[in-house]
Amino acid sequence: MAESHVISALIKKRSELSGQIEYYEKLLKECHENLTSIDKTIHIFDDSYDLRTIKSKKVVKKGYFSNGEATKLILDVLRTSSHPIKTSDLIDILADKKSLSFSDNKERYAFSKNVSVALNHIWKKGLIEQVAKEQGTAVWSIAKIA
């Protein structure tokens, strides 16, 4: 017999996915209705316009941070910390500050990449320093001013 906590976790995950499907199906339906309305409006102005000539515009997913936000948050966290912080811990702290919870490892990985890019950028500017490496993870602190 399966463990009750495993069943509970699977039921919760199924419920989340079912809710996401309902949400996106509703969103998709609204988009189709809007597209139909726009197509009709175009044909009011030009009945012979070939709608197939209109190319779809690629949708780019927004990043997790606004311009400069990751840098500011990282520096704030390192400035207020009494000790150096591992990259993995910094990722957790920033996700918490942004009230993010990741539904899968792909989302966490994407967020981690954003944080890593910001860390590298700040490090190259000399604002932070890598003070150690623990279990393959960099440990960061604010750079000492000479």
Side-chain angles (χ1 to χ4, degrees):
M1 178 156 226
E3 299 291 326
S4 63
H5 67 279
V6 173
I7 296 297
S8 296
L10 290 171
I11 289 169
K12 181 180 176 187
K13 187 62 177 178
R14 187 185 191 291
S15 176
E16 287 175 18
L17 291 174
S18 178
Q20 286 179 353
I21 289 169
E22 288 174 13
Y23 169 79
Y24 286 113
E25 284 177 343
K26 181 181 176 189
L27 185 63
L28 187 60
K29 182 180 177 191
E30 288 175 14
C31 287
H32 277 295
E33 290 169 357
N34 291 338
L35 187 63
T36 301
S37 295
I38 291 170
D39 290 349
K40 288 178 181 178
T41 305
I42 289 171
H43 279 134
I44 287 172
F45 289 96
D46 185 353
D47 195 36
S48 64
Y49 194 89
D50 185 2
L51 298 170
R52 294 173 297 182
T53 62
I54 302 171
K55 302 283 187 240
S56 296
K57 185 176 180 180
K58 183 178 179 179
V59 176
V60 179
K61 185 177 178 182
K62 285 181 111 179
Y64 292 97
F65 301 100
S66 60
N67 195 19
E69 182 185 16
T71 299
K72 181 184 179 316
L73 288 173
I74 290 168
L75 290 173
D76 286 348
V77 168
L78 291 175
R79 234 183 255 116
T80 58
S81 176
S82 60
H83 60 282
I85 302 175
K86 291 193 306 185
T87 303
S88 56
D89 293 337
L90 193 55
I91 289 165
D92 293 337
I93 292 167
L94 295 179
D96 188 51
K97 282 187 173 290
K98 299 278 295 173
S99 300
L100 297 173
S101 60
F102 305 108
S103 61
D104 59 24
N105 285 336
K106 271 175 102 172
E107 283 185 35
R108 181 175 169 76
Y109 177 76
F111 182 76
S112 301
K113 290 292 281 183
N114 278 238
V115 173
S116 294
V117 167
L119 279 168
N120 193 38
H121 178 72
I122 301 166
W123 176 64
K124 284 183 178 178
K125 284 184 165 184
L127 299 173
I128 62 174
E129 59 188 6
Q130 184 178 336
V131 294
K133 255 198 185 241
E134 291 179 14
Q135 301 157 347
T137 301
V139 181
W140 303 97
S141 71
I142 293 289
K144 307 290 185 256
I145 299 174

